Amino acid sequence: MSINKTTSMKKKKTATNVLVHVILAILSVIWVLPIVFVILTSLRAEPGSYVSYIIPKEFTLANYQRLFTDKSMINFPRWFMNTFVIACCSCLVATFFVLCVSYVMSRLRFKMRKKFMNIALILGMFPGFMSMIAIYYILKGIGLLETATLKHVALIIVYSGGAGLGFYIVKGFFDTIPRAIDEAAFIDGATKWDVFTKITLPLSKPMIVYTLLTAFMGPWVDYIFAKVILGNDKDAYTIAIGLWQMLEMEYIQKYYTSFYAGCVIISIPIALLFMLTQKYYVESVGGAVKG
């Protein structure tokens, strides 16, 4: 009887595993299909917007070439560099803010600390674009919407200004670092800044990478705030606004396939970042859950 039960359980387990793998395979196909569609459309030689087939009849790289050569109406290289500079500056400033606030909330005890954490948690529940009209008039009042360079500075301030409120995940990671290490450093004469920069940060590489990635991706893909602040200044556009312009009525027939080529190009930096930092990213998620 026990042998039959064991055999039956093994068969059920095998059947369950097969079913799970089938479901995962189907979900994988569903997840990959849009990516395949974007890549195929970016290589399509036939002009025009919508067609009744997915696989192109002819393949070409002219759509990619047009992005960097045809600057009469669509200045893709400039938009790409604008976005790259804004994203890099924003992620550096935002990461510094998040790490500093997280360390303070994790290690220091002061009056109103818990109330501040509760307020930050509540404010984090509201979407940022609720304040975009007020932010626009504040930036306009202090003269940061006069030139393209000032508008980019304004975007960096907007993206990094409220970053400190997102300290909960990094704080949870800092909480897992033993306080005994800090106390031993204090006995040796180290200051809080020394402990933060020479002990805590080197032990927190996974969380630093996680914070850099999330802070970089926000400005890289944002459309709402960028459109509100940059307005109709084409020279100051970021890549999200520029790609959307390709889908406007007067451009869609000519730049539809180039739009997909642009989507492929802007996904490359994010993909490379994840590939290069995958190890630290996984460790950061595990550490954040643990904390």
Side-chain angles (χ1 to χ4, degrees):
M1 292 292 292
S2 60
I3 296 176
N4 292 335
K5 286 183 179 180
T6 304
T7 305
S8 178
M9 291 178 63
K10 287 183 178 180
K11 289 182 179 179
K12 288 182 180 179
K13 187 176 181 180
T14 302
T16 303
N17 291 337
V18 171
L19 180 61
V20 170
H21 282 83
V22 170
I23 294 175
L24 291 176
I26 295 173
L27 293 176
S28 300
V29 171
I30 295 173
W31 182 79
V32 171
L33 188 59
I35 301 176
V36 174
F37 174 77
V38 170
I39 295 175
L40 290 177
T41 306
S42 70
L43 297 172
R44 195 180 77 194
E46 304 88 83
S49 56
Y50 304 106
V51 294
S52 59
Y53 50 87
I54 296 178
I55 300 177
K57 297 178 180 178
E58 295 183 17
F59 292 88
T60 182
L61 294 175
N63 300 320
Y64 291 88
Q65 184 180 2
R66 186 184 298 121
L67 290 175
F68 296 95
T69 56
D70 185 3
K71 301 179 183 179
S72 57
M73 300 298 295
I74 305 296
N75 196 343
F76 184 86
R78 185 182 183 89
W79 298 341
F80 187 92
M81 288 306 301
N82 289 344
T83 310
F84 184 77
V85 172
I86 292 172
C88 288
C89 294
S90 299
C91 84
L92 292 176
V93 177
T95 300
F96 177 75
F97 286 167
V98 171
L99 293 174
C100 290
V101 175
S102 301
Y103 181 78
V104 169
M105 290 298 145
S106 174
R107 288 297 192 261
L108 304 185
R109 296 296 180 267
F110 52 90
K111 190 177 181 180
M112 300 289 291
R113 173 178 173 273
K114 290 187 177 180
K115 291 184 178 180
F116 176 82
M117 292 177 64
N118 292 333
I119 292 172
L121 181 63
I122 294 173
L123 290 177
M125 296 178 181
F126 295 92
F129 62 80
M130 291 180 62
S131 60
M132 63 183 179
I133 302 301
I135 291 175
Y136 172 81
Y137 281 109
I138 291 173
L139 295 173
K140 186 176 182 180
I142 61 179
L144 286 178
L145 301 181
E146 302 298 328
T147 64
T149 302
L150 289 176
K151 289 179 180 179
H152 292 165
V153 173
L155 270 180
I156 294 172
I157 293 174
V158 169
Y159 290 140
S160 58
L165 292 177
F167 63 85
Y168 270 92
I169 295 179
V170 183
K171 174 192 172 296
F173 188 90
F174 285 165
D175 288 341
T176 63
I177 300 176
R179 290 178 177 271
I181 299 177
D182 297 9
E183 295 170 357
F186 292 145
I187 293 174
D188 291 337
T191 63
K192 286 184 172 64
W193 179 253
D194 292 332
V195 173
F196 175 63
T197 55
K198 298 179 181 179
I199 297 177
T200 304
L201 291 185
L203 293 174
S204 306
K205 289 181 181 179
M207 284 315 300
I208 296 175
V209 171
Y210 168 81
T211 308
L212 284 170
L213 283 174
T214 53
F216 183 86
M217 287 189 296
W220 191 260
V221 300
D222 177 63
Y223 174 84
I224 298 177
F225 269 112
K227 182 60 178 176
V228 170
I229 293 175
L230 300 179
N232 294 320
D233 189 352
K234 289 187 176 182
D235 290 335
Y237 274 1
T238 59
I239 201 68
I241 306 175
L243 288 177
W244 175 256
Q245 189 180 29
M246 294 183 186
L247 298 180
E248 292 181 353
M249 185 177 296
E250 60 268 32
Y251 301 119
I252 189 169
Q253 291 299 321
K254 180 179 180 181
Y255 291 104
Y256 182 78
T257 50
S258 294
F259 163 80
Y260 285 94
C263 293
V264 174
I265 291 174
I266 65 170
S267 67
I268 293 175
I270 299 295
L272 290 176
L273 281 175
F274 270 102
M275 290 173 61
L276 294 174
T277 61
Q278 184 178 13
K279 174 185 175 182
Y280 295 110
Y281 185 78
V282 173
E283 290 179 2
S284 67
V285 175
V289 173
K290 190 188 301 180

